[in-house]
Amino acid sequence: VSTQSTGICARPMSGESYSYQDQGAHDSSGVRRKDGNQYGCTDEQRATMAELGLTLETAPKTEGVGAGKNEWEDALIKHKVMDAPLDHKKMAFMLQMKREDEEILNPENEFDDKEFDELLELEDEMDERMFQQYRESRMAELLDQQKREKFGQLFQVKQDEYVKQITEASQELGATPVFVHLYQDYIPECKLLNECWRELARRHKHIKFVCIRSTDANADFPDSALPTQLVYLNGIVADRTVGFKSHGGDPFTPDGLEWLYAQKGWCQTELEEDPFERVTMHVLAKKHNKTLRNRVGYDSEDSD
C-alpha cells in the first residue's frame, strides 16, 4: 500500500529532512497533518524562515533534553533516528534582531514618498523645525555650560568662610578640584601665584580657585612655607605643595602651572608639551636677571 493512499508519512533516515510543507521532525505516529506534522511549521513560521533565508538544513534546532515530546522521542533524536524539531523561538528572536538592525542601517526618510511640489511646500516648515530643534539643543547646552562654569575668578576667603567656601564647596563639586592658596601680600612668589591663578580661573571656569591669608588659616603658619597650595577633592585635602618648589620660585607662568595640573588630572590643557621641559630654573633666573638662591621655592638641583 502506498503512503499516498494511506496518508502514512515514511520516516526519514538520519540526515534526511522533510519537505518545505512539513518543516521539521515527524511525530511518533508518522501521520502527516494538514498544517504539517506535530513539529511542523505554521505559515507565519515558514515566512520567518524565508525572511531569514533559512532552510531545514540551516535552521536552528531545539537542543538538549526535552527536544522531543516525550522520553522516547528524546532517545530517537539523541541517536539521530529522527530530526530534532526546529527552534522557532530562536528564529523569531533572530528575525526581530534582523529588523532592528535594518532600521538602524536603513532609516526611513519621511520625505521619500513626497513629490517635488510637496517638498517645496514643506521646505519652509522643515527649515523652521530644524532651526527650532537646533535652538533648543543649543540653549540646553549653554544652560548646562553656565551651570558648570560658575566661577571664573580668584576668590578671596576669610577665616570664618573657610568651611563653607572650601570644604563644603569641594564636597559639592566632588572630583572637580578646589585650589586653595595660603599667601601673604608681602611675599613676591605669592603675588605671582595669585596672578597665575586669576588667569587659570578665567580659562577653567568650572574649577574654583581660592586664596586666603596664611595667618587667617593658621595664626602660626610660617612665612618660610609660603606660597602653599592645597588641592581639595571630595571635601578633603588631596594634595599639598609647600614652598611651591615644583615649577616654583620665580618665575612660573599660567601655562607652566596648567601643564603641571593637567598631568595630575586636575584640569584639561591644549598645550602639547611642558613649557619648562628644556628650561631650568637657573636659566630662567638669568633670563630675568634674578638670582634664585635663598628664594622661596629654590632647589639647588635647578642650578644646572
Side-chain angles (χ1 to χ4, degrees):
V1 180
S2 70
T3 57
Q4 183 176 3
S5 59
T6 61
I8 302 298
C9 176
R11 303 186 179 204
M13 299 299 290
S14 176
E16 295 181 358
S17 58
Y18 283 87
S19 67
Y20 187 69
Q21 180 181 355
D22 290 333
Q23 292 288 349
H26 53 72
D27 63 10
S28 56
S29 69
V31 176
R32 185 196 300 264
R33 298 184 178 179
K34 213 172 191 184
D35 59 347
N37 50 52
Q38 183 176 349
Y39 300 122
C41 294
T42 64
D43 291 340
E44 182 180 356
Q45 291 166 343
R46 292 192 182 101
T48 297
M49 290 180 64
E51 187 169 344
L52 290 172
L54 297 173
T55 65
L56 283 176
E57 288 73 22
T58 59
K61 309 294 192 300
T62 303
E63 299 177 351
V65 177
K69 294 295 183 181
N70 48 50
E71 293 182 3
W72 169 249
E73 291 190 359
D74 283 346
L76 292 178
I77 292 171
K78 179 179 180 181
H79 294 285
K80 300 182 180 180
V81 175
M82 65 181 289
D83 293 332
L86 302 180
D87 192 339
H88 291 293
K89 287 185 178 180
K90 184 173 183 178
M91 285 189 281
F93 176 76
M94 291 168 63
L95 181 61
Q96 180 184 351
M97 293 299 98
K98 176 177 180 291
R99 288 174 176 174
E100 289 180 1
D101 290 344
E102 288 175 347
E103 288 180 3
I104 295 173
L105 296 174
N106 303 297
E108 291 185 3
N109 191 329
E110 60 179 306
F111 304 111
D112 282 346
D113 58 348
K114 300 291 184 182
E115 297 294 336
F116 182 73
D117 291 341
E118 293 177 299
L119 289 175
L120 289 177
E121 293 177 3
L122 290 172
E123 184 176 8
D124 291 339
E125 178 184 343
M126 183 171 58
D127 288 344
E128 179 63 27
R129 184 173 58 183
M130 292 176 64
F131 175 76
Q132 184 64 24
Q133 290 175 348
Y134 169 79
R135 183 176 181 276
E136 291 174 357
S137 174
R138 183 58 179 159
M139 286 296 296
E141 181 181 334
L142 290 174
L143 288 173
D144 181 65
Q145 182 178 348
Q146 186 179 29
K147 183 179 179 180
R148 289 185 295 106
E149 298 182 349
K150 56 184 178 180
F151 302 117
Q153 61 178 309
L154 176 62
F155 294 90
Q156 176 75 45
V157 173
K158 298 179 180 179
Q159 183 179 23
D160 58 352
E161 299 174 320
Y162 195 100
V163 173
K164 180 178 180 181
Q165 295 297 329
I166 297 174
T167 307
E168 293 180 359
S170 175
Q171 291 172 343
E172 293 177 3
L173 291 172
T176 301
V178 173
F179 287 90
V180 181
H181 177 204
L182 305 184
Y183 79 101
Q184 287 295 345
D185 287 325
Y186 49 79
I187 296 180
E189 290 84 2
C190 291
K191 289 184 177 181
L192 180 58
L193 183 58
N194 278 342
E195 287 302 316
C196 290
W197 275 19
R198 287 187 180 94
E199 172 60 27
L200 292 178
R202 286 191 288 267
R203 296 183 190 179
H204 306 279
K205 293 182 175 63
H206 65 292
I207 297 176
K208 189 171 187 178
F209 289 87
V210 173
C211 63
I212 180 172
R213 285 186 172 83
S214 57
T215 49
D216 284 347
N218 183 342
D220 299 323
F221 203 91
D223 286 353
S224 60
L226 299 179
T228 288
Q229 169 190 277
L230 305 177
V231 181
Y232 277 75
L233 294 172
N234 296 297
I236 62 174
V237 177
D239 187 87
R240 178 184 287 104
T241 304
V242 177
F244 221 75
K245 285 189 176 183
S246 180
H247 280 258
D250 181 15
F252 47 82
T253 66
D255 283 351
L257 294 177
E258 183 180 79
W259 178 267
L260 176 65
Y261 298 160
Q263 303 316 298
K264 294 178 178 290
W266 296 334
C267 72
Q268 300 292 322
T269 182
E270 296 180 357
L271 298 172
E272 296 182 356
E273 62 178 13
D274 184 352
F276 292 124
E277 184 176 12
R278 298 181 180 85
V279 183
T280 66
M281 293 303 298
H282 185 67
V283 171
L284 285 171
K286 281 187 174 182
K287 180 178 178 181
H288 290 262
N289 194 27
K290 297 181 180 180
T291 177
L292 287 175
R293 203 170 298 279
N294 298 324
R295 293 180 68 84
V296 174
Y298 173 74
D299 192 329
S300 60
E301 295 180 358
D302 290 328
S303 59
D304 303 356

PDB file of all heavy atoms in Angstrom, residues 2 8 10 12 16 31 48 90 92 95 97-99 103 109 114 118 133 156 173 180 201 209 216 236 250 269 292:
ATOM      1  N   SER A   2       0.596   2.159  -0.857  1.00  0.00           N
ATOM      2  CA  SER A   2       1.446   3.358  -0.958  1.00  0.00           C
ATOM      3  C   SER A   2       1.151   4.300   0.190  1.00  0.00           C
ATOM      4  O   SER A   2       0.062   4.313   0.733  1.00  0.00           O
ATOM      5  CB  SER A   2       1.216   4.069  -2.294  1.00  0.00           C
ATOM      6  OG  SER A   2      -0.055   4.650  -2.305  1.00  0.00           O
ATOM      7  N   ILE A   8       0.169   7.681   5.312  1.00  0.00           N
ATOM      8  CA  ILE A   8       1.297   7.430   6.206  1.00  0.00           C
ATOM      9  C   ILE A   8       2.523   8.137   5.661  1.00  0.00           C
ATOM     10  O   ILE A   8       2.822   8.068   4.480  1.00  0.00           O
ATOM     11  CB  ILE A   8       1.579   5.916   6.323  1.00  0.00           C
ATOM     12  CG1 ILE A   8       0.333   5.193   6.831  1.00  0.00           C
ATOM     13  CG2 ILE A   8       2.769   5.669   7.246  1.00  0.00           C
ATOM     14  CD1 ILE A   8      -0.095   5.646   8.209  1.00  0.00           C
ATOM     15  N   ALA A  10       6.392   8.310   5.496  1.00  0.00           N
ATOM     16  CA  ALA A  10       7.579   7.488   5.734  1.00  0.00           C
ATOM     17  C   ALA A  10       8.585   8.258   6.561  1.00  0.00           C
ATOM     18  O   ALA A  10       8.825   9.429   6.337  1.00  0.00           O
ATOM     19  CB  ALA A  10       8.207   7.091   4.387  1.00  0.00           C
ATOM     20  N   PRO A  12      12.110   9.589   7.872  1.00  0.00           N
ATOM     21  CA  PRO A  12      13.374   9.830   7.191  1.00  0.00           C
ATOM     22  C   PRO A  12      14.504   9.125   7.902  1.00  0.00           C
ATOM     23  O   PRO A  12      14.453   8.908   9.105  1.00  0.00           O
ATOM     24  CB  PRO A  12      13.540  11.342   7.282  1.00  0.00           C
ATOM     25  CG  PRO A  12      12.859  11.690   8.572  1.00  0.00           C
ATOM     26  CD  PRO A  12      11.707  10.749   8.686  1.00  0.00           C
ATOM     27  N   GLU A  16      18.338  12.982   6.782  1.00  0.00           N
ATOM     28  CA  GLU A  16      17.338  13.409   5.812  1.00  0.00           C
ATOM     29  C   GLU A  16      16.414  14.440   6.461  1.00  0.00           C
ATOM     30  O   GLU A  16      16.343  14.569   7.669  1.00  0.00           O
ATOM     31  CB  GLU A  16      16.518  12.214   5.332  1.00  0.00           C
ATOM     32  CG  GLU A  16      17.370  11.206   4.543  1.00  0.00           C
ATOM     33  CD  GLU A  16      16.528  10.034   4.065  1.00  0.00           C
ATOM     34  OE1 GLU A  16      15.324  10.026   4.387  1.00  0.00           O
ATOM     35  OE2 GLU A  16      17.074   9.159   3.398  1.00  0.00           O
ATOM     36  N   VAL A  31       1.869  10.304  11.142  1.00  0.00           N
ATOM     37  CA  VAL A  31       0.730  10.775  10.361  1.00  0.00           C
ATOM     38  C   VAL A  31       0.958  12.210   9.933  1.00  0.00           C
ATOM     39  O   VAL A  31       1.190  13.084  10.758  1.00  0.00           O
ATOM     40  CB  VAL A  31      -0.576  10.673  11.179  1.00  0.00           C
ATOM     41  CG1 VAL A  31      -1.745  11.247  10.387  1.00  0.00           C
ATOM     42  CG2 VAL A  31      -0.826   9.226  11.559  1.00  0.00           C
ATOM     43  N   THR A  48       8.889  33.387   8.462  1.00  0.00           N
ATOM     44  CA  THR A  48      10.061  33.792   9.239  1.00  0.00           C
ATOM     45  C   THR A  48      11.316  33.161   8.684  1.00  0.00           C
ATOM     46  O   THR A  48      12.348  33.826   8.492  1.00  0.00           O
ATOM     47  CB  THR A  48       9.893  33.400  10.720  1.00  0.00           C
ATOM     48  OG1 THR A  48       8.789  34.103  11.274  1.00  0.00           O
ATOM     49  CG2 THR A  48      11.150  33.722  11.523  1.00  0.00           C
ATOM     50  N   LYS A  90      13.852  30.783  18.776  1.00  0.00           N
ATOM     51  CA  LYS A  90      15.145  31.368  18.427  1.00  0.00           C
ATOM     52  C   LYS A  90      15.066  32.101  17.096  1.00  0.00           C
ATOM     53  O   LYS A  90      15.622  33.188  16.926  1.00  0.00           O
ATOM     54  CB  LYS A  90      16.216  30.285  18.382  1.00  0.00           C
ATOM     55  CG  LYS A  90      17.616  30.814  18.117  1.00  0.00           C
ATOM     56  CD  LYS A  90      18.664  29.717  18.242  1.00  0.00           C
ATOM     57  CE  LYS A  90      20.069  30.280  18.052  1.00  0.00           C
ATOM     58  NZ  LYS A  90      21.102  29.232  18.215  1.00  0.00           N
ATOM     59  N   ALA A  92      12.398  33.454  15.776  1.00  0.00           N
ATOM     60  CA  ALA A  92      11.606  34.679  15.958  1.00  0.00           C
ATOM     61  C   ALA A  92      12.493  35.784  16.531  1.00  0.00           C
ATOM     62  O   ALA A  92      12.411  36.951  16.124  1.00  0.00           O
ATOM     63  CB  ALA A  92      10.421  34.401  16.875  1.00  0.00           C
ATOM     64  N   LEU A  95      14.801  37.090  13.820  1.00  0.00           N
ATOM     65  CA  LEU A  95      14.098  37.984  12.898  1.00  0.00           C
ATOM     66  C   LEU A  95      13.926  39.370  13.510  1.00  0.00           C
ATOM     67  O   LEU A  95      14.089  40.391  12.823  1.00  0.00           O
ATOM     68  CB  LEU A  95      12.739  37.387  12.543  1.00  0.00           C
ATOM     69  CG  LEU A  95      11.891  38.203  11.561  1.00  0.00           C
ATOM     70  CD1 LEU A  95      12.618  38.364  10.230  1.00  0.00           C
ATOM     71  CD2 LEU A  95      10.530  37.551  11.347  1.00  0.00           C
ATOM     72  N   MET A  97      15.901  40.812  15.720  1.00  0.00           N
ATOM     73  CA  MET A  97      17.210  41.464  15.692  1.00  0.00           C
ATOM     74  C   MET A  97      17.540  41.944  14.274  1.00  0.00           C
ATOM     75  O   MET A  97      18.095  43.028  14.085  1.00  0.00           O
ATOM     76  CB  MET A  97      18.288  40.497  16.177  1.00  0.00           C
ATOM     77  CG  MET A  97      18.202  40.111  17.651  1.00  0.00           C
ATOM     78  SD  MET A  97      18.374  41.530  18.782  1.00  0.00           S
ATOM     79  CE  MET A  97      16.654  41.891  19.159  1.00  0.00           C
ATOM     80  N   LYS A  98      17.197  41.131  13.268  1.00  0.00           N
ATOM     81  CA  LYS A  98      17.470  41.498  11.883  1.00  0.00           C
ATOM     82  C   LYS A  98      16.714  42.772  11.495  1.00  0.00           C
ATOM     83  O   LYS A  98      17.279  43.679  10.875  1.00  0.00           O
ATOM     84  CB  LYS A  98      17.065  40.342  10.965  1.00  0.00           C
ATOM     85  CG  LYS A  98      17.215  40.626   9.471  1.00  0.00           C
ATOM     86  CD  LYS A  98      16.843  39.380   8.669  1.00  0.00           C
ATOM     87  CE  LYS A  98      16.982  39.621   7.172  1.00  0.00           C
ATOM     88  NZ  LYS A  98      15.976  40.547   6.648  1.00  0.00           N
ATOM     89  N   ARG A  99      15.466  42.852  11.888  1.00  0.00           N
ATOM     90  CA  ARG A  99      14.668  44.020  11.534  1.00  0.00           C
ATOM     91  C   ARG A  99      15.145  45.269  12.272  1.00  0.00           C
ATOM     92  O   ARG A  99      15.149  46.376  11.712  1.00  0.00           O
ATOM     93  CB  ARG A  99      13.192  43.752  11.847  1.00  0.00           C
ATOM     94  CG  ARG A  99      12.558  42.748  10.874  1.00  0.00           C
ATOM     95  CD  ARG A  99      11.148  42.385  11.274  1.00  0.00           C
ATOM     96  NE  ARG A  99      10.528  41.500  10.293  1.00  0.00           N
ATOM     97  CZ  ARG A  99       9.334  40.936  10.446  1.00  0.00           C
ATOM     98  NH1 ARG A  99       8.641  41.162  11.553  1.00  0.00           N
ATOM     99  NH2 ARG A  99       8.847  40.146   9.505  1.00  0.00           N
ATOM    100  N   GLU A 103      16.577  48.756  10.579  1.00  0.00           N
ATOM    101  CA  GLU A 103      16.055  50.086  10.879  1.00  0.00           C
ATOM    102  C   GLU A 103      17.179  51.069  11.187  1.00  0.00           C
ATOM    103  O   GLU A 103      17.111  52.243  10.834  1.00  0.00           O
ATOM    104  CB  GLU A 103      15.092  50.011  12.069  1.00  0.00           C
ATOM    105  CG  GLU A 103      13.764  49.349  11.727  1.00  0.00           C
ATOM    106  CD  GLU A 103      12.844  49.291  12.927  1.00  0.00           C
ATOM    107  OE1 GLU A 103      13.234  49.821  13.995  1.00  0.00           O
ATOM    108  OE2 GLU A 103      11.743  48.728  12.812  1.00  0.00           O
ATOM    109  N   ASN A 109      13.121  57.561   5.436  1.00  0.00           N
ATOM    110  CA  ASN A 109      13.094  59.006   5.216  1.00  0.00           C
ATOM    111  C   ASN A 109      11.659  59.422   4.982  1.00  0.00           C
ATOM    112  O   ASN A 109      11.004  58.956   4.039  1.00  0.00           O
ATOM    113  CB  ASN A 109      13.956  59.367   4.002  1.00  0.00           C
ATOM    114  CG  ASN A 109      14.169  60.872   3.885  1.00  0.00           C
ATOM    115  OD1 ASN A 109      13.308  61.660   4.270  1.00  0.00           O
ATOM    116  ND2 ASN A 109      15.314  61.251   3.354  1.00  0.00           N
ATOM    117  N   LYS A 114       7.424  61.871  -1.122  1.00  0.00           N
ATOM    118  CA  LYS A 114       6.853  63.167  -1.447  1.00  0.00           C
ATOM    119  C   LYS A 114       7.201  63.572  -2.887  1.00  0.00           C
ATOM    120  O   LYS A 114       8.281  63.280  -3.389  1.00  0.00           O
ATOM    121  CB  LYS A 114       7.380  64.242  -0.487  1.00  0.00           C
ATOM    122  CG  LYS A 114       7.064  63.986   0.983  1.00  0.00           C
ATOM    123  CD  LYS A 114       5.577  64.119   1.277  1.00  0.00           C
ATOM    124  CE  LYS A 114       5.307  63.959   2.757  1.00  0.00           C
ATOM    125  NZ  LYS A 114       3.867  64.026   3.080  1.00  0.00           N
ATOM    126  N   GLU A 118       5.378  69.007  -3.352  1.00  0.00           N
ATOM    127  CA  GLU A 118       5.119  68.859  -1.924  1.00  0.00           C
ATOM    128  C   GLU A 118       6.362  69.203  -1.116  1.00  0.00           C
ATOM    129  O   GLU A 118       6.282  69.805  -0.031  1.00  0.00           O
ATOM    130  CB  GLU A 118       4.679  67.428  -1.620  1.00  0.00           C
ATOM    131  CG  GLU A 118       3.324  67.058  -2.198  1.00  0.00           C
ATOM    132  CD  GLU A 118       2.966  65.617  -1.924  1.00  0.00           C
ATOM    133  OE1 GLU A 118       3.711  64.725  -2.373  1.00  0.00           O
ATOM    134  OE2 GLU A 118       1.952  65.392  -1.227  1.00  0.00           O
ATOM    135  N   GLN A 133      14.788  72.982  16.554  1.00  0.00           N
ATOM    136  CA  GLN A 133      15.470  71.877  17.228  1.00  0.00           C
ATOM    137  C   GLN A 133      16.898  72.260  17.591  1.00  0.00           C
ATOM    138  O   GLN A 133      17.370  71.972  18.691  1.00  0.00           O
ATOM    139  CB  GLN A 133      15.459  70.635  16.340  1.00  0.00           C
ATOM    140  CG  GLN A 133      14.100  69.999  16.181  1.00  0.00           C
ATOM    141  CD  GLN A 133      14.113  68.837  15.194  1.00  0.00           C
ATOM    142  OE1 GLN A 133      15.089  68.634  14.460  1.00  0.00           O
ATOM    143  NE2 GLN A 133      13.031  68.083  15.165  1.00  0.00           N
ATOM    144  N   GLN A 156      38.697  85.588  47.204  1.00  0.00           N
ATOM    145  CA  GLN A 156      39.357  85.875  48.488  1.00  0.00           C
ATOM    146  C   GLN A 156      38.449  85.363  49.605  1.00  0.00           C
ATOM    147  O   GLN A 156      37.271  85.711  49.676  1.00  0.00           O
ATOM    148  CB  GLN A 156      39.588  87.369  48.644  1.00  0.00           C
ATOM    149  CG  GLN A 156      40.175  87.773  49.987  1.00  0.00           C
ATOM    150  CD  GLN A 156      41.648  87.444  50.096  1.00  0.00           C
ATOM    151  OE1 GLN A 156      42.409  87.699  49.167  1.00  0.00           O
ATOM    152  NE2 GLN A 156      42.056  86.877  51.229  1.00  0.00           N
ATOM    153  N   LEU A 173      31.370  69.742  44.686  1.00  0.00           N
ATOM    154  CA  LEU A 173      31.994  69.588  43.362  1.00  0.00           C
ATOM    155  C   LEU A 173      32.535  68.180  43.133  1.00  0.00           C
ATOM    156  O   LEU A 173      32.802  67.804  41.995  1.00  0.00           O
ATOM    157  CB  LEU A 173      33.128  70.616  43.205  1.00  0.00           C
ATOM    158  CG  LEU A 173      32.680  72.071  43.095  1.00  0.00           C
ATOM    159  CD1 LEU A 173      33.891  73.001  43.151  1.00  0.00           C
ATOM    160  CD2 LEU A 173      31.891  72.303  41.815  1.00  0.00           C
ATOM    161  N   VAL A 180      43.402  75.997  46.730  1.00  0.00           N
ATOM    162  CA  VAL A 180      43.498  76.943  47.836  1.00  0.00           C
ATOM    163  C   VAL A 180      44.942  77.424  47.956  1.00  0.00           C
ATOM    164  O   VAL A 180      45.872  76.610  48.035  1.00  0.00           O
ATOM    165  CB  VAL A 180      43.049  76.299  49.163  1.00  0.00           C
ATOM    166  CG1 VAL A 180      43.128  77.319  50.296  1.00  0.00           C
ATOM    167  CG2 VAL A 180      41.640  75.738  49.040  1.00  0.00           C
ATOM    168  N   ALA A 201      41.805  80.722  36.383  1.00  0.00           N
ATOM    169  CA  ALA A 201      40.380  80.758  36.732  1.00  0.00           C
ATOM    170  C   ALA A 201      39.543  81.205  35.544  1.00  0.00           C
ATOM    171  O   ALA A 201      38.421  80.729  35.341  1.00  0.00           O
ATOM    172  CB  ALA A 201      40.162  81.688  37.929  1.00  0.00           C
ATOM    173  N   PHE A 209      39.076  78.527  42.326  1.00  0.00           N
ATOM    174  CA  PHE A 209      40.381  78.967  42.818  1.00  0.00           C
ATOM    175  C   PHE A 209      40.148  79.943  43.974  1.00  0.00           C
ATOM    176  O   PHE A 209      39.417  80.923  43.828  1.00  0.00           O
ATOM    177  CB  PHE A 209      41.184  79.648  41.708  1.00  0.00           C
ATOM    178  CG  PHE A 209      41.675  78.701  40.644  1.00  0.00           C
ATOM    179  CD1 PHE A 209      40.864  78.379  39.555  1.00  0.00           C
ATOM    180  CD2 PHE A 209      42.941  78.141  40.717  1.00  0.00           C
ATOM    181  CE1 PHE A 209      41.312  77.514  38.564  1.00  0.00           C
ATOM    182  CE2 PHE A 209      43.397  77.273  39.731  1.00  0.00           C
ATOM    183  CZ  PHE A 209      42.583  76.960  38.648  1.00  0.00           C
ATOM    184  N   ASP A 216      45.177  83.761  58.555  1.00  0.00           N
ATOM    185  CA  ASP A 216      43.739  83.525  58.751  1.00  0.00           C
ATOM    186  C   ASP A 216      43.441  82.038  58.835  1.00  0.00           C
ATOM    187  O   ASP A 216      42.548  81.611  59.569  1.00  0.00           O
ATOM    188  CB  ASP A 216      42.931  84.142  57.609  1.00  0.00           C
ATOM    189  CG  ASP A 216      42.829  85.655  57.729  1.00  0.00           C
ATOM    190  OD1 ASP A 216      43.162  86.171  58.812  1.00  0.00           O
ATOM    191  OD2 ASP A 216      42.441  86.306  56.747  1.00  0.00           O
ATOM    192  N   ILE A 236      38.193  66.789  50.993  1.00  0.00           N
ATOM    193  CA  ILE A 236      39.420  66.532  51.749  1.00  0.00           C
ATOM    194  C   ILE A 236      40.626  67.024  50.961  1.00  0.00           C
ATOM    195  O   ILE A 236      40.560  67.178  49.735  1.00  0.00           O
ATOM    196  CB  ILE A 236      39.591  65.034  52.083  1.00  0.00           C
ATOM    197  CG1 ILE A 236      39.691  64.207  50.797  1.00  0.00           C
ATOM    198  CG2 ILE A 236      38.455  64.535  52.954  1.00  0.00           C
ATOM    199  CD1 ILE A 236      40.007  62.744  51.034  1.00  0.00           C
ATOM    200  N   ASP A 250      60.648  81.807  41.311  1.00  0.00           N
ATOM    201  CA  ASP A 250      60.253  82.877  40.396  1.00  0.00           C
ATOM    202  C   ASP A 250      61.206  82.827  39.212  1.00  0.00           C
ATOM    203  O   ASP A 250      62.418  82.829  39.412  1.00  0.00           O
ATOM    204  CB  ASP A 250      60.365  84.212  41.130  1.00  0.00           C
ATOM    205  CG  ASP A 250      59.953  85.394  40.279  1.00  0.00           C
ATOM    206  OD1 ASP A 250      59.317  85.181  39.244  1.00  0.00           O
ATOM    207  OD2 ASP A 250      60.291  86.520  40.657  1.00  0.00           O
ATOM    208  N   THR A 269      44.134  70.659  29.232  1.00  0.00           N
ATOM    209  CA  THR A 269      45.010  71.654  28.619  1.00  0.00           C
ATOM    210  C   THR A 269      45.131  71.394  27.133  1.00  0.00           C
ATOM    211  O   THR A 269      45.035  70.250  26.680  1.00  0.00           O
ATOM    212  CB  THR A 269      46.421  71.628  29.256  1.00  0.00           C
ATOM    213  OG1 THR A 269      47.230  72.650  28.650  1.00  0.00           O
ATOM    214  CG2 THR A 269      47.093  70.278  29.057  1.00  0.00           C
ATOM    215  N   LEU A 292      68.144  83.034  42.100  1.00  0.00           N
ATOM    216  CA  LEU A 292      67.178  82.142  42.720  1.00  0.00           C
ATOM    217  C   LEU A 292      67.615  81.718  44.120  1.00  0.00           C
ATOM    218  O   LEU A 292      66.807  81.282  44.925  1.00  0.00           O
ATOM    219  CB  LEU A 292      67.009  80.876  41.858  1.00  0.00           C
ATOM    220  CG  LEU A 292      66.245  81.062  40.565  1.00  0.00           C
ATOM    221  CD1 LEU A 292      66.272  79.774  39.778  1.00  0.00           C
ATOM    222  CD2 LEU A 292      64.811  81.466  40.838  1.00  0.00           C
TER     223      LEU A 292
END
